[in-house]
Every structure is written in structure tokens, then in C-alpha cells.
Amino acid sequence: MSPARDTRTRKGSAAPKAAKKAATSKQAEKTWALAGRPATAHSVDLLEAMLRIRRFEERCVELYSAARIRGFVHLYIGEEAVAVGVNEALSPEDAVVATYREHGHALARGIPAEAVMAEMYGRTTGCSGGRGGSMHLFDASRRFYGGSAIVAGGLPLAAGLALADRMRGQHRVTCCFFGDGAFAEGEFHETANLAALWNLPLLLACENNLYAMGTALAREHAQTDLAMRAASYGMPAWAVDGMDVEAVEQAARRAAEGIRAGTGPHFLELRTYRFRAHSMYDPDRYRGKAEIEQWKARDPINRLIERMREDGELGDKDLAGIEGRVTDEVDRAVEAAEQAPEEPVEDLLRHVTSTSAEVS
Amino acid sequence: MGSGGHPEEAKTTYREAMREALREALRADERVFLMGEDVGRYGGCFGVSLGLLEEFGPDRVRDTPLSESAFVGAGIGAALAGMRPIVEIMTVNFSLLALDQILNNAATLLHMSGGQLPVPLVIRMTTGAGRQLAAQHSHSLEGWYAHIPGIRVLAPATIEDARHMLAPALADPDPVLIFEHGSLYNAVGELAPPAAPVDLDHAAIRRPGTDISLITYGGSLPKALTAADELAAEGISAEVIDLRTLRPLDDATIAASVARTHRVVIVDEAWRTGSLAAEISARIAEQSFYELDAPVERVCSAEVPIPYARRLEEAALPQSADIVSAAHRAVD
């Protein structure tokens, strides 16, 4: 059920003396195995959540090509199982810190597609009032703290959100998404050390999509077994098949339960792949077509559909119903964004400081 | 600690005044906590937080690893979650390791989020030279921070400001950076009970005068006051302006002073090129050009990494004699 490359690294299992470039299979102790399948209604929710992200972003490609939206647009297509699976393990009281590739996180967190699309359009009805754009989605009411376009820059901030909860005795989780590129930054290691040292309720969700922009994992990391390296900070760390939404959800639930129980930070290496280029500007010359096709064969959405069909949980009508709902939702979002007001230039200096927010 | 429970009735130091401000803040608000390298057991690398760990415990006086980016960023996150962190960075030189967090997160989150995410954070750090600590512990980079929209930059130059600036800084809903010049910590003086809370929007005229305006802040204020004494002995009446707040700059006080004196010397321990002194000069040129009877003079640090050797360090820094000379150039 679970691919062979899924490994699970337990606390302390990774000997620090492990030779550079040690074979990852030697670090793998146990295979992450799914413990049963969720109920049908839940599977439908997972599928719908993933399809919402997929269709939303496919529309973004069209809108970008038509110059309706601009800026750097980083697509999440192929990685939907990660955002959806992890978010299922979080409650509304928890906090989420995301990256610049965060349409999926934002939608999975429940920010309405209309608010996200309006932000892409730079309209006042956008979830950041048009000041952030694709890379800076925020929603304080949903404890969604971005939207950081500095690789690894969200990690210390997430530690601080978790620190506040710990100091006040609140049993909440702060989840920070970041990529394999961030793992090479000092800020990841500073944060992992601080979080483990202070026993912070922090879920470190590393989206290992094998590329830091255009640089392959093995070209950026001396040791590519990220879960093993995270475990060296003394925190539970697992590698999970990031193309299997149900596996992601279960791993995230388990981590979140541990964090709520007060056992400190947990690390998940979610092994995934982006089907599209790094951003709309990227000609994607650094990876082969065969590799991309190989991963597309593991498309998390098709995979769940197939699984549900096999188990008799999904018929053609059900699927058409889900597709219809998300397509309508995206259509409405685009329509609303097209008609949404633009902020007057007189308001340019608002939100620089809290007092300048009062400028009319 | 020496001032005990009645700090305001006795002689005190800048260091003790700062500590008393921290103690008051920690007592007044459960959300306040102090975080930084060596702030706890060690008592603060400049002794500012000595005794606070014993009084408030390790949760609220929190020693951090040597991870400026992580603990400054954690301060930002905690502030977002409703806490009121005071983060201490040992020196402005080390703050560069956290510059990403300060600039890309603390200063910008409010704007990028369309007003949703204010960051009520205070960051304190030392700045400046004069103690033979050489290049990596002696620079004055507060002007760089004053360049950034979205943050407030303070430079308490007096014992009163050390004691009474922290409370209004904590009350500010946005990030506030406080720069404490290392040479000021041992300054001794009487601390009068405050007449009013420190006004963080306005500069202070520390000495009124009619012939020339000496505009300065932080560690250069004592030097400017000494220079003003010397000038007074020569019959030149110098007005000394303590900027107090480096961002936002109080243009009105500067312009009013120039309108009175028509001559200006700006004293800034940072390098001349691209300095705060350069910004102030430009503003005077823009706003007060026709009030000027002489070119604006600037007394800044020499364009050199601050040297260790004492006589070289002294030569690199603005000194009272340099200020007096500059004033003569403007007046004569």
C-alpha cells in the first residue's frame, strides 16, 4: 500500500556519525503503513479539497497567460496531497505558516477561493487586500500566517507562534510548511534547535519536491535523507509518501497528537513533486520529461480516485458532481475578482504602520 | 540593582534605568517577556538584565541559543500571537544575522497582510564604538534601520529616556527598535520622576541656543553638549537637538531650530556616506534652504572599519573638538 521509499525514522535512530551520503535505505527502520482507510464521506472531502486546488491553479495558468494576473506565480499542481492531508490533522485553533507556493495551503485552510483569487488580481477583496499577491496570502481569522517569499523565513516566525502557545499553556499546534530548499538554510537549523530545546508545539512539514527552484536535491544537500537529519535534533521525524493524501493525513494526525500531548516539535518529510515549473517564468530545463511523467503517473488525485473506485466509494456521477462543484466555485471566484474594486491610489500609504492605516 | 526600590530618588546609571524599565514592563503585563543571548543567568552581556531572571523566572527572562534569526523571528511570531516580546540582540553588528526577519517579516507583515497582522515587538540592541572593541563590535548601523518603513527606531541618549522610553515603545502596536549606545551604560545622573510619558514622535531640545543647531542622537549627545559648553565659552550659543526617534524623523523640530539659528552641524557616529546625517542634510536643503546662512556641516565617523588601536579609534569617531571646529566653519 505504501511505496517502498517511504521510511520512518525514529528519534535517536540516526547516528550522528553516519557517513556523508550514507545510503538512505540504511537509515530506514520502518515502513510507514496506513492503518485502515477513512470513511467514504471523508474520502470525498479529501478529493474535493485536492480538486479545488488543482482546478483553481489550472485557471491561474490561463489567467496569467491572458495577463489578468501577474507577478511570480508558483503552482502547487502535483503537491495537493500534502496541503490537504496535513490540514486535515489541524483544527481551526491551530496556526499555519506557509511559503510562496501557498495557494494549496490557503485553500486547504478554508480561505475562500474568491478571497484567494481576488488577491491574485490585486483587488481590495483579496485575502491580503491586494497588498500581497500570490506569494503573500494571509488570513488572521483563520490563523493563516502566510505567504513568506524568503525561503525558510517563515520558520522562526512559526517557532514564535508555538512559543506563545507554550508560554500560555494552550494545546495548539503551529504547522510550518517549507521546502527542501529551506532545509539548506541556517534558519531551518536554528529553528529546529530552538523548537526542540524549548519543547515547542511545532509541526515542521517539509515538502520535499526534489528541487530547490532549479537545483536538484542531491545537488543542494550533502545528505539527502532529510527526516534522518531532522531526527538528529531529538525530535520525532518521519518520511511520508507525499503523493498519498491518506498517508499524509495519518502521519500528520499522529504528529499533531504527539505535539498536543506536549512531546515537542515533530518533523514530516513529505516526499512529493511539482508537475509544473518552479514559477511561470521558469523554462524548466533542469529536469527530464521522463522524470516528470514518472511522477505524473503517481498523481495524488488520480490515485485517490482509483483507490475509491476500486473500493466502490466513487462512481462516475459522484466524480462529476465533485468536479462540477469545484469548477463552479472557481468560475465564481474569477467572476467576483474581475468585478472587485481596486484600491484607490490615495490609499497607497495605508498599512505601513498601524497609525498610517488610518490614512483615508 | 543598587538603586533598590526607590530608583527615582537616587543617583542611578543608564544601565540601571534600562533595567528598571524592563522590570516595570515585566511586572505590568503578563504578556511581556525578555529574550536574547545571555539575558538570564549571565545577567545580560552589558549587565542590563541582572537579577531579572531571579525575579521573573526562566520562562519570562529567556536565554536563547546564538541564533539571532531564530529568536528574533520567534519574537515576531510570539508578537503575532498576542505576546509582547522584548528581544535583546547583543550588538547591532549581530542584528545583521536577523536582518531578514526584521526587514522581511517584522517591518512588512502588516502591509503585506493588508493590515491584518501588526507586530507589537520591541528589539533592543547596543550600538556604537568607543570601547576598543574593533570593527565587528563597534559600528553604528541604526541609520540602516531608519531607512525601513514599517518600524520605529529609537535612540535613548539620556538616563530619563533609558528609563521611560520602553513603556511607550511596548505600547506601540508596530515593531520598535531601541539602540543603546554602549558608552552610555555607565552614565550616572539623578533620575527625576517623569513629568509626562516620553513622546516618541518628537525630538527633544536638550539645550536651547540661538547661533547654531547641533543635531544629534544617542552616544553623540554628550559630545555635542560638551561642544556646546565650549562654544558658549566663546560666546556662541548652540542649540542641541536630541533626535530621540530616528524613524520617523521629527522634521518640524529640525526646521524650527534652523529657522532660529540659520546654521547647522549634524553629528552622527555612522559613516558619512548614505548616513542618517545625509538624510537630515537633504531634508534641511528641501525644507529650510532659504533659512541657511552657511552650508550644513556634518561630523561623522571616518570611512573606515572602526580600528582597535585607541588613538586610531578616537580619530575615526566624532569628537567634541570636531564638532566645535565644524561649528566654527559654519559661524565664521
Side-chain angles (χ1 to χ4, degrees):
Chain A
M1 198 157 275
S2 216
R5 68 192 292 270
D6 287 357
T7 57
R8 173 175 159 183
T9 312
R10 274 208 157 283
K11 183 175 173 176
S13 71
K17 61 186 179 193
K20 208 173 163 190
K21 294 184 192 290
T24 55
S25 61
K26 292 210 170 137
Q27 308 300 338
E29 281 195 326
K30 292 180 185 173
T31 302
W32 181 273
L34 272 172
R37 288 290 177 187
T40 303
H42 184 62
S43 305
V44 169
D45 288 344
L46 293 175
L47 181 58
E48 187 162 334
M50 288 198 292
L51 271 171
R52 179 179 296 110
I53 298 168
R54 180 72 56 96
R55 300 294 174 249
F56 181 94
E57 292 207 315
E58 286 168 349
R59 188 66 61 84
C60 286
V61 175
E62 292 168 21
L63 293 167
Y64 188 90
S65 304
R68 299 304 298 160
I69 61 176
R70 294 277 89 188
F72 278 144
V73 177
H74 305 87
L75 299 174
Y76 199 61
I77 290 173
E79 303 188 24
E80 295 90 344
V82 173
V84 170
V86 171
N87 190 70
E88 285 297 320
L90 303 175
S91 74
E93 291 75 39
D94 295 331
V96 172
V97 177
T99 66
Y100 51 85
R101 193 186 303 286
E102 89 278 37
H103 307 153
H105 307 115
L107 293 168
R109 187 65 185 163
I111 304 179
E114 277 192 22
V116 180
M117 188 59 85
E119 189 59 35
M120 311 286 288
Y121 271 77
R123 302 297 165 98
T124 54
T125 51
C127 63
S128 304
R131 300 297 178 116
S134 167
M135 297 192 287
H136 306 298
L137 306 176
F138 295 95
D139 187 339
S141 70
R142 290 182 173 81
R143 302 204 74 215
F144 189 79
Y145 298 99
S148 175
I150 307 295
V151 169
L155 281 152
L157 196 128
L161 291 163
L163 173 63
D165 283 341
R166 175 148 174 81
M167 289 181 75
R168 291 182 300 211
Q170 285 177 306
H171 295 279
R172 305 194 292 194
V173 174
T174 296
C175 172
C176 186
F177 291 99
F178 55 98
D180 45 295
F183 205 105
E185 296 274 4
E187 278 184 309
F188 168 79
H189 299 277
E190 288 190 24
T191 302
N193 179 53
L194 199 72
L197 187 71
W198 290 353
N199 207 38
L200 300 181
L202 182 64
L203 174 57
L204 295 165
C206 179
E207 303 181 320
N208 179 3
N209 66 15
L210 296 174
Y211 289 89
M213 208 161 91
T215 303
L217 189 70
R219 289 181 185 275
E220 55 160 330
H221 287 281
Q223 168 54 262
T224 57
D225 187 336
L226 305 185
M228 182 272 276
R229 288 167 68 192
S232 77
Y233 288 100
M235 65 178 83
W238 295 281
V240 185
D241 180 2
M243 305 304 270
D244 181 343
V245 68
E246 292 166 322
V248 173
E249 181 187 346
Q250 281 195 16
R253 275 191 194 284
R254 183 168 176 143
E257 280 164 21
I259 291 164
R260 281 184 228 287
T263 58
H266 284 52
F267 177 92
L268 293 179
E269 178 193 342
L270 303 150
R271 293 179 171 172
T272 184
Y273 199 80
R274 56 175 161 74
F275 296 168
R276 313 287 294 223
H278 169 72
S279 77
M280 298 302 289
Y281 286 110
D282 171 13
D284 205 356
R285 295 193 193 96
Y286 45 84
R287 48 184 202 177
K289 281 216 168 72
E291 178 185 299
I292 298 169
E293 290 311 311
Q294 242 177 355
W295 278 92
K296 280 186 175 173
R298 300 181 59 211
D299 185 322
I301 294 176
N302 292 342
R303 193 158 153 192
L304 181 61
I305 289 172
E306 280 163 30
R307 205 279 297 157
M308 289 172 74
R309 282 189 190 281
E310 278 170 24
D311 292 353
E313 289 182 10
L314 189 75
D316 291 343
K317 265 193 176 171
D318 303 320
L319 185 56
I322 298 170
E323 282 280 13
R325 283 201 294 277
V326 298
T327 305
D328 283 352
E329 206 178 319
V330 174
D331 286 346
R332 282 197 306 273
V334 174
E335 210 171 298
E338 288 278 353
Q339 287 164 12
E342 290 190 85
E343 198 169 6
V345 173
E346 294 73 49
D347 286 355
L348 173 66
L349 297 182
R350 289 181 78 203
H351 311 313
V352 178
T353 61
S354 298
T355 44
S356 67
E358 290 157 15
V359 173
S360 60
Chain B
M1 293 298 282
S3 52
H6 304 282
E8 293 168 2
E9 293 167 13
K11 277 200 182 283
T12 188
T13 62
Y14 184 97
R15 172 185 291 108
E16 287 165 346
M18 198 72 224
R19 182 187 306 142
E20 206 48 40
L22 289 167
R23 179 178 283 129
E24 178 192 57
L26 285 158
R27 278 184 185 157
D29 188 343
E30 277 294 312
R31 299 173 301 172
V32 171
F33 67 100
L34 177 65
M35 170 163 66
E37 293 155 357
D38 280 346
V39 298
R41 282 184 192 282
Y42 190 95
C45 69
F46 293 97
V48 171
S49 51
L50 196 68
L52 297 182
L53 172 70
E54 288 72 16
E55 188 173 346
F56 297 100
D59 213 36
R60 298 186 67 205
V61 180
R62 192 170 273 267
D63 281 317
T64 65
L66 309 187
S67 302
E68 283 81 1
S69 189
F71 69 74
V72 170
I76 296 167
L80 285 176
M83 302 295 279
R84 292 290 181 276
I86 302 170
V87 177
E88 178 179 307
I89 303 176
M90 261 189 217
T91 83
V92 65
N93 308 269
F94 308 163
S95 78
L96 302 187
L97 294 154
L99 185 55
D100 166 53
Q101 288 297 326
I102 296 170
L103 172 51
N104 285 317
N105 280 338
T108 51
L109 278 167
L110 180 73
H111 183 81
M112 291 196 302
S113 66
Q116 292 180 86
L117 299 179
V119 182
L121 170 71
V122 170
I123 303 173
R124 299 172 40 239
M125 62 186 105
T126 54
T127 186
R131 293 161 295 147
Q132 284 197 266
L133 299 177
Q136 291 180 347
H137 285 68
S138 298
H139 289 147
S140 293
L141 306 178
E142 53 276 359
W144 290 8
Y145 289 100
H147 177 65
I148 303 169
I151 55 178
R152 184 183 288 275
V153 180
L154 305 180
T158 65
I159 291 168
E160 284 76 19
D161 279 1
R163 175 63 185 85
H164 298 297
M165 258 190 181
L166 185 63
L170 280 165
D172 192 315
D174 301 314
V176 178
L177 271 56
I178 302 179
F179 288 89
E180 301 160 20
H181 196 287
S183 69
L184 292 175
Y185 284 123
N186 289 329
V188 182
E190 302 264 345
L191 187 61
V198 174
D199 173 0
L200 299 187
D201 288 325
H202 292 99
I205 296 174
R206 298 297 183 193
R207 175 185 179 124
T210 52
D211 297 332
I212 188 162
S213 300
L214 308 182
I215 302 174
T216 190
Y217 67 91
S220 296
L221 177 63
K223 293 174 180 175
L225 289 169
T226 301
D229 284 343
E230 288 179 32
L231 290 166
E234 300 170 21
I236 299 168
S237 167
E239 178 152 285
V240 179
I241 296 178
D242 172 7
L243 293 170
R244 283 182 149 176
T245 300
L246 310 185
R247 185 183 188 95
L249 276 173
D250 178 5
D251 291 317
T253 297
I254 294 170
S257 181
V258 175
R260 275 193 295 277
T261 65
H262 312 292
R263 291 175 170 86
V264 182
V265 176
I266 304 166
V267 187
D268 178 358
E269 200 179 301
W271 296 300
R272 173 186 299 257
T273 304
S275 60
L276 201 64
E279 174 63 27
I280 295 164
S281 299
R283 291 189 187 206
I284 290 170
E286 288 165 349
Q287 297 165 15
S288 306
F289 182 76
Y290 296 106
E291 296 288 351
L292 288 175
D293 285 345
V296 171
E297 291 284 339
R298 284 192 281 159
V299 180
C300 298
S301 281
E303 305 269 325
V304 60
I306 303 297
Y308 163 73
R310 183 162 199 85
R311 57 190 285 161
L312 294 180
E313 184 188 42
E314 280 174 3
L317 300 177
Q319 304 295 352
S320 296
D322 303 320
I323 303 169
V324 170
S325 300
H328 280 152
R329 286 196 296 275
V331 172
D332 296 346

